[in-house]
């Protein structure tokens, strides 16, 4: 945990001036990048309570950056932080790094999350798994057809009977073995199925949408509670 | 730290644990809440057993079991929300997504790999090589007895595999990532290295010839009992249940940050197996994990057995630096991937 005095002398003056000129937070990127970095970045503004200085605001937020695996730097009215392997119990564990700035009584923040990015990309991964499964299934079908002629005769299923106790208790009797050539119901369509991969692709897409909205609100509420001291 | 002597060992010397049922908190709240969280577990177990016993053949299928399993887990997620055991174990969005990622691997790539090189393939090969008809008598026993036998045989295998993982370094490397979880939630059972999931799934029960309905009944025992290993819900679990079955309390003790506590409660469903072999410790823990509760990322979880194994091999058989003893402490590197014994 490092907290630097009021100014970070290591920040080159020309870069600081450029960033100030563009009204960007240090570490912020160009407008072009902002077109798509909303996927993993959460931005927001929060008005400080009347009369609250930047020092006071950062002092109130400080416990959030005193977590295991979190390092932070304070440079004037800006605070940057970085997290590595944050504990599940860390209230900001979803974020890997971020910048907070107080300007004219307003807290501006940009927080980046690899978890959001990976969740956004996860559906693509599972769609790829689904395609891979289809390829494997087709390959298996072809090789099964090719070896149809050399197939060993299947063992005949024996008819199963229930124990007398189960008959007395009314348990349904086991199904009789199917006649040769009959469709095998559930087992008829053998081979790997792409359905689970499609389901998880949809699930991660829904989770991304929910998480992008939820985490935006949660972090705003967390900052607000800290700043108001309630 | 106040340690408690349990048999020959001292539990809780390194991290806080609660030993003894009399010291474990009860469900708080009104009479309805206390009633629900006292009777939920046995009611669901008996209801599911009755369902699988009497369901017509058209319903008693694996697909129904999967649907019930998913529905049950969603219900338990809701219970985690209503009555958490510990506030510090609350499920966050990130934890949910991470856990589901491991679950999804189990349903997709691992399921496919399992069918080619996993336990199913091994069992099929062994069954094809020998005449197993002499075990056909198993299928003539009463259904519930068959289900009990399947569950106990499978759990017995899992007990020794799990205990082996805590006692033999190569196996421990595969299991260690699972011990980095710092809270218990419904899907935490799936969190771990895929190699471990292969190994833990190997069971000798598969060699016997059972009625399909008996297998479904045994599966429901795993669902309605084993699922409670990883859950953030406070229940007033009945005395007979916690004597026979594994509970969240037992498994939280197993995941404690206290080393000695982790060397207990290895069974998956039947804690009575631990009682038989003297490894059961009744109690619970809130502070979980390894290396002081360090979070392990998905990437590290996937490569950990290989990177740590490589480090160990290099330290043991590679070129020695003057300050390294061939069998000295440094042979296991800086991390806590030391064999459990």
């Amino acid at each position: 945990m490092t907290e630097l005095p009021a100014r970070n002398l290591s920040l080159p003056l020309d870069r600081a001036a450029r960033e100030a000129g563009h009204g960007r937070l240090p570490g912020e990127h160009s407008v072009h990048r902002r077109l798509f970095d909303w996927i993993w970045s959460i931005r927001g503004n929060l008005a400080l309570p009347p009369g609250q200085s930047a020092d006071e605001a950062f002092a109130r937020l400080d416990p959030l950056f005193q977590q295991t695996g979190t390092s932070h730097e304070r440079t004037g009215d800006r605070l940057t932080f970085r997290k590595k392997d944050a504990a599940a119990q860390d209230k900001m564990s979803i974020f890997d790094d971020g910048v907070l700035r107080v300007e004219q009584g307003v807290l501006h923040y940009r927080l980046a999350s690899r978890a959001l990015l990976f969740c956004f990309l996860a559906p693509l991964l599972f769609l790829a798994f689904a395609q891979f499964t289809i390829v494997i299934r087709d390959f298996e079908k072809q090789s099964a057809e090719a070896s149809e002629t050399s197939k060993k005769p299947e063992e005949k299923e024996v008819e199963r009977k229930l124990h007398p106790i189960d008959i007395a208790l009314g348990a349904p009797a086991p199904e009789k073995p199917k006649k040769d050539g009959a469709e095998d119901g559930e087992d008829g369509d053998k081979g790997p199925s792409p359905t689970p991969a499609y389901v998880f692709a949809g699930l991660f897409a829904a989770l991304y949408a929910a998480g992008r909205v939820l985490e935006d609100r949660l972090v705003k509420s967390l900052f607000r509670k800290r700043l108001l001291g309630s | 730290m106040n340690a408690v002597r349990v048999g020959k060992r001292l539990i809780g010397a390194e991290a806080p644990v609660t030993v003894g049922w009399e010291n474990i908190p009860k469900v708080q709240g009104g009479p309805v809440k206390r009633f629900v969280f006292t009777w939920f577990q046995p009611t669901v177990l008996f209801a599911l057993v009755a369902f699988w016993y009497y369901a017509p053949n058209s319903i008693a299928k694996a697909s129904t079991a999967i649907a019930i399993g998913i529905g049950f887990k969603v219900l338990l997620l809701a219970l985690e929300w209503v009555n958490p055991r510990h506030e510090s174990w609350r499920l966050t969005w990130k934890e949910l997504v991470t856990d589901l990622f491991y679950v999804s691997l189990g349903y997709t790539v691992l399921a496919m790999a399992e069918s080619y090189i996993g336990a199913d393939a091994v069992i099929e090969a062994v069954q094809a090589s020998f005449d197993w008809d002499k075990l056909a008598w198993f299928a003539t026993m009463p259904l519930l007895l068959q289900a009990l036998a399947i569950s106990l045989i499978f759990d017995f295998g899992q007990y020794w595999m799990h205990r082996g993982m805590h006692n033999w370094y190569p196996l421990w490397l595969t299991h260690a990532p699972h011990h980095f979880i710092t809270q218990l939630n419904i899907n935490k059972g799936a969190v771990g290295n895929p190699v471990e999931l292969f190994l833990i799934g190997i069971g000798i029960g598969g060699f016997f010839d059972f009625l399909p309905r008996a297998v479904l009944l045994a599966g429901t025992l795993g669902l309605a009992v084993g699922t409670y290993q990883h859950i953030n819900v406070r229940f007033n679990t009945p005395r007979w249940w916690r004597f026979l079955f594994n509970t969240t309390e037992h498994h939280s003790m197993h995941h404690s940050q206290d080393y000695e506590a982790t060397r207990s409660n290895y069974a998956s469903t039947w804690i009575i197996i631990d009682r038989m072999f003297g490894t059961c410790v009744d109690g619970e823990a809130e502070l979980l994990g390894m290396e002081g509760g360090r979070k392990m990322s998905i990437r590290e979880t996937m490569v950990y057995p290989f990177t740590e194994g490589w480090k160990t091999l290099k330290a043991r058989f590679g070129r020695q630096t003057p300050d390294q003893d061939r069998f000295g402490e440094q042979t296991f590197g800086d991390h806590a991937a030391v064999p459990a014994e």
Side-chain angles (χ1 to χ4, degrees):
Chain A
M1 246 66 71
T2 41
E3 182 152 352
L4 297 182
R7 193 155 296 280
N8 181 2
L9 296 174
S10 65
L11 183 71
L13 285 176
D14 59 331
R15 187 182 146 201
R18 264 188 286 122
E19 283 169 346
H22 286 92
R24 274 190 262 153
L25 298 174
E28 282 262 38
H29 308 291
S30 66
V31 175
H32 299 296
R33 185 158 173 184
R34 285 185 66 165
L35 286 175
F36 55 87
D37 79 351
W38 58 267
I39 293 166
W40 65 87
S41 298
I42 286 179
R43 290 182 171 79
N45 308 306
L46 204 55
L48 301 184
Q52 194 174 73
S53 66
D55 282 342
E56 205 182 332
F58 284 129
R60 282 174 176 271
L61 295 174
D62 190 59
L64 297 175
F65 305 108
Q66 300 292 345
Q67 303 288 326
T68 312
T70 306
S71 59
H72 69 286
E73 267 181 35
R74 173 85 191 277
T75 54
D77 293 343
R78 294 184 174 94
L79 183 147
T80 59
F81 74 90
R82 188 169 288 276
K83 286 181 186 288
K84 190 175 186 309
D85 298 337
Q89 289 76 17
D90 182 342
K91 295 220 178 280
M92 291 178 66
S93 67
I94 183 179
F95 302 110
D96 299 285
D97 58 71
V99 187
L100 292 85
R101 183 188 64 189
V102 172
E103 201 173 63
Q104 294 172 342
V106 178
L107 174 75
H108 303 271
Y109 55 87
R110 181 191 63 81
L111 313 167
S113 166
R114 274 185 301 175
L116 278 174
L117 176 63
F118 290 151
C119 190
F120 182 85
L121 296 174
L124 300 178
L125 176 71
F126 284 94
L127 289 176
F129 282 160
Q131 291 310 305
F132 179 67
T133 311
I134 291 169
V135 170
I136 295 273
R137 191 176 60 179
D138 290 348
F139 175 76
E140 274 195 353
K141 262 186 195 168
Q142 282 170 4
S143 53
E145 280 166 13
S147 59
E148 192 91 323
T149 47
S150 60
K151 209 175 173 183
K152 279 189 281 181
E154 281 190 18
E155 283 178 33
K156 274 194 176 177
E157 266 192 76
V158 186
E159 189 176 345
R160 304 283 189 197
K161 282 181 182 167
L162 278 182
H163 190 274
I165 291 179
D166 294 319
I167 295 169
L169 288 172
E175 277 179 343
K176 287 180 180 166
K178 293 197 169 58
K179 286 173 190 169
D180 289 346
E183 278 297 313
D184 207 6
E186 235 181 39
D187 298 331
D189 187 23
K190 281 192 176 173
S193 162
T195 310
Y198 286 132
V199 169
F200 280 108
L203 194 60
F204 282 111
L207 279 170
Y208 173 77
R212 182 65 184 76
V213 174
L214 179 75
E215 293 299 333
D216 193 336
R217 289 184 182 185
L218 283 180
V219 77
K220 193 165 213 167
S221 145
L222 181 68
F223 286 159
R224 186 185 290 121
K225 277 182 192 161
R226 284 275 164 195
L227 292 172
L228 294 175
S230 57
Chain B
M1 206 70 65
N2 288 329
V4 178
R5 182 166 288 282
V6 180
K8 289 180 183 170
R9 15 193 211 153
L10 278 176
I11 306 286
E14 296 167 356
V17 294
T18 306
V19 177
W21 290 113
E22 65 282 4
N23 301 317
I24 289 174
K26 298 272 179 196
V27 174
Q28 302 296 310
V32 175
K33 187 178 175 188
R34 278 185 281 127
F35 179 83
V36 169
F37 287 96
T38 299
W39 293 104
F40 181 84
Q41 290 173 300
T43 306
V44 170
L45 173 65
F46 290 122
L48 282 173
V49 167
F51 171 79
W52 286 115
Y53 193 83
Y54 289 111
N57 290 329
S58 57
I59 295 175
K61 288 177 176 175
S63 53
T64 313
I66 292 170
I68 288 177
I70 293 169
F72 186 52
K73 288 197 171 181
V74 172
L75 172 66
L76 294 181
L77 277 173
L79 292 188
E80 282 199 355
W81 189 259
V82 174
N83 189 31
R85 173 174 291 264
H86 301 297
E87 276 300 323
S88 64
W89 291 4
R90 276 269 189 206
L91 194 62
T92 61
W93 178 86
K94 186 185 175 187
E95 284 296 300
L96 175 67
V97 170
T98 310
D99 295 352
L100 278 174
F101 179 74
Y102 289 103
V103 172
S104 61
L105 288 185
Y107 274 97
T108 53
V109 272
L110 285 180
M112 189 154 49
E114 182 89 13
S115 65
Y116 294 111
I117 54 171
D120 295 348
V122 174
I123 287 166
E124 210 171 298
V126 173
Q127 279 183 329
S129 312
F130 298 97
D131 179 20
W132 292 87
D133 281 353
K134 60 185 77 164
L135 295 173
W137 58 270
F138 221 103
T140 62
M141 295 197 305
L143 274 170
L144 291 176
L145 203 59
Q146 283 185 57
L148 202 64
I150 297 167
S151 179
L152 279 166
I153 291 168
F154 188 75
D155 219 41
F156 188 80
Q158 283 211 329
Y159 171 88
W160 284 107
M161 177 60 82
H162 191 185
R163 194 167 167 181
M165 285 175 169
H166 279 262
N167 286 280
W168 190 45
Y169 187 67
L171 285 178
W172 168 247
L173 285 179
T174 69
H175 183 52
H178 179 61
H179 273 269
F180 278 82
I181 56 173
T182 55
Q183 59 187 68
L184 299 182
N185 302 108
I186 280 304
N187 292 314
K188 284 288 191 293
V191 176
N193 186 274
V195 177
E196 182 208 0
L197 301 179
F198 269 120
L199 295 173
I200 209 83
I202 295 173
I204 53 173
F207 293 127
F208 291 90
D209 199 7
F210 301 108
L211 286 180
R213 190 178 292 273
V215 178
L216 291 167
L217 278 163
T220 217
L221 271 175
L223 180 74
V225 177
T227 309
Y228 298 117
Q229 281 183 92
H230 305 93
I231 190 175
N232 181 25
V233 177
R234 172 76 63 196
F235 290 109
N236 289 335
T237 308
R239 192 188 292 252
W240 63 267
W241 181 296
R242 62 199 195 201
F243 176 76
L244 285 176
F245 297 142
N246 204 353
T247 60
T248 321
E249 287 87 346
H250 288 117
H251 205 60
S252 67
M253 180 71 89
H254 178 77
H255 274 278
S256 159
Q257 287 191 17
D258 180 68
Y259 171 77
E260 202 58 47
T262 63
R263 306 182 48 69
S264 63
N265 306 342
Y266 296 114
S268 181
T269 299
W270 297 90
I271 202 71
I272 201 159
I273 299 176
D274 279 279
R275 294 192 195 284
M276 279 162 53
F277 294 107
T279 48
C280 178
V281 176
D282 293 315
E284 72 170 7
E286 180 178 358
L287 202 58
L288 314 183
M290 297 215 340
E291 297 180 15
R294 175 173 81 83
K295 173 90 178 170
M296 186 178 270
S297 65
I298 292 177
R299 185 173 55 181
E300 192 181 352
T301 301
M302 294 297 155
V303 300
Y304 187 87
F306 313 108
T307 53
E308 287 302 310
W310 175 245
K311 271 190 221 168
T312 307
L313 285 173
K314 223 163 78 168
R316 185 161 284 195
F317 301 110
R319 259 191 297 179
Q320 305 290 307
T321 53
D323 60 332
Q324 274 181 321
D325 175 8
R326 188 175 167 91
F327 297 103
E329 282 189 9
Q330 286 187 38
T331 53
F332 291 118
D334 297 333
H335 283 297
V338 290
E341 197 163 66

